[in-house]
Amino acid sequence: HQAKQKSFYLPMQYEILTEQRKKLLKEYYKKRKEIRKKYEDMLAALSKEEKEAISWVNAKNGKESAEEKVYDIRQDYAISANLIQQQKLMEEEELVKKYKVTVLETYI
C-alpha cells in the first residue's frame, strides 16, 4: 500500500518542479531578451555615432588626411563595439548561472 502512495507522489512532485522550472525559464528568457535589446540599442547608437564622426571628418579634411582619420575612427569604434559585445556575453553568462540554465535550455 505504501509503495503505491510513493509512486503516485513522485510524478506529482515532478510536475510541480517542472512548473516551477517553466516559470523560472520564462523569467530567464524575458531577462535575456532585455539584455540583448539593451546591447543592440547600444551598438546601434555606436554605429550611428561612428557614421556621423566619419562624415564630419570627410567634410573637414582633404581626401588623403581624411582616409587616415577615418581608419582611426573605425579602429576606435571597433574596440568599443567589441567591449560592448564582451559585456553583453558576461551579463548573459551571469543570467545563465543565476537561473542554472542548461545548454539545451538556452536554445529554446
Side-chain angles (χ1 to χ4, degrees), residues 41-100:
D41 292 349
M42 285 169 78
L43 287 167
L46 190 72
S47 178
K48 186 175 179 252
E49 204 179 283
E50 178 185 17
K51 285 184 183 102
E52 286 168 3
I54 288 171
S55 38
W56 187 84
V57 163
N58 281 326
K60 296 279 178 207
N61 297 273
K63 191 173 175 10
E64 277 181 22
S65 70
E67 262 178 39
E68 203 172 303
K69 288 180 175 135
V70 165
Y71 177 79
D72 291 342
I73 289 171
R74 287 210 165 112
Q75 290 297 102
D76 290 346
Y77 279 91
I79 290 166
S80 296
N82 199 359
L83 291 172
I84 289 172
Q85 288 286 15
Q86 283 176 7
Q87 188 62 40
K88 174 186 163 269
L89 287 174
M90 277 168 47
E91 254 186 73
E92 280 194 32
E93 275 176 32
E94 286 304 309
L95 204 61
V96 165
K97 283 179 196 160
K98 182 182 173 189
Y99 287 92
K100 295 176 176 65

Side-chain angles (χ1 to χ4, degrees), residues 3-59:
K4 243 184 210 169
Q5 265 182 322
K6 269 186 189 162
S7 65
F8 173 71
Y9 181 69
L10 284 173
M12 285 289 288
Q13 213 176 22
Y14 178 74
E15 269 175 39
I16 291 165
L17 276 176
T18 54
E19 278 308 305
Q20 284 177 327
R21 189 71 192 139
K22 280 180 206 164
K23 250 187 232 168
L24 275 175
L25 284 174
K26 205 172 178 182
E27 211 175 287
Y28 161 78
Y29 295 123
K30 187 176 174 251
K31 289 192 172 162
R32 184 178 74 176
K33 195 177 177 182
E34 287 166 8
I35 288 172
R36 289 182 174 177
K37 175 83 176 92
K38 176 176 82 175
Y39 285 101
E40 272 171 30
D41 292 349
M42 285 169 78
L43 287 167
L46 190 72
S47 178
K48 186 175 179 252
E49 204 179 283
E50 178 185 17
K51 285 184 183 102
E52 286 168 3
I54 288 171
S55 38
W56 187 84
V57 163
N58 281 326

Side-chain angles (χ1 to χ4, degrees), residues 21 25 28-29 32 96 100-108:
R21 189 71 192 139
L25 284 174
Y28 161 78
Y29 295 123
R32 184 178 74 176
V96 165
K100 295 176 176 65
V101 178
T102 65
V103 173
L104 187 64
E105 287 170 333
T106 60
Y107 292 105
I108 296 172

